[in-house]
Amino acid sequence: MNNNLKKRIHSMYLRDCFMAWSDIILIWLAIGFVLISILNIVDDPIVRTVLIVSSALLVLFNTASVGSMTKHYAEDKDFIYGLDIKHLDENRAAKK
């Protein structure tokens, strides 16, 4: 594999990781905002506990899934992104 292709693969991988982790940060912020807003309205302690636990599980599972996804992408990035780059290059050549 030539050096240019490795650079392109690494660039695509880093961009995908950045976007995935940015989305996780946004999910944490959105869930936190909604949870704080709703907790001001809800008076029942059982409902408050359920809301807190379910929100924590939601962000925990989303964070774990993105961590797993980025780990998998790192292991197979040559195959995953190499195929994408091949198709992108073929599409660019076909448009010319």
Side-chain angles (χ1 to χ4, degrees), residues 29-72:
L29 292 173
I31 296 298
F33 173 76
V34 170
L35 183 62
I36 290 169
S37 299
I38 295 298
L39 289 179
N40 290 330
I41 299 170
V42 176
D43 292 328
D44 186 7
I46 294 173
V47 174
R48 290 172 69 93
T49 303
V50 169
L51 287 171
I52 292 169
V53 170
S54 62
S55 297
L57 288 173
L58 177 66
V59 294
L60 177 72
F61 287 138
N62 274 298
T63 304
S65 69
V66 168
S68 177
M69 178 189 72
T70 55
K71 181 183 175 201
H72 172 69

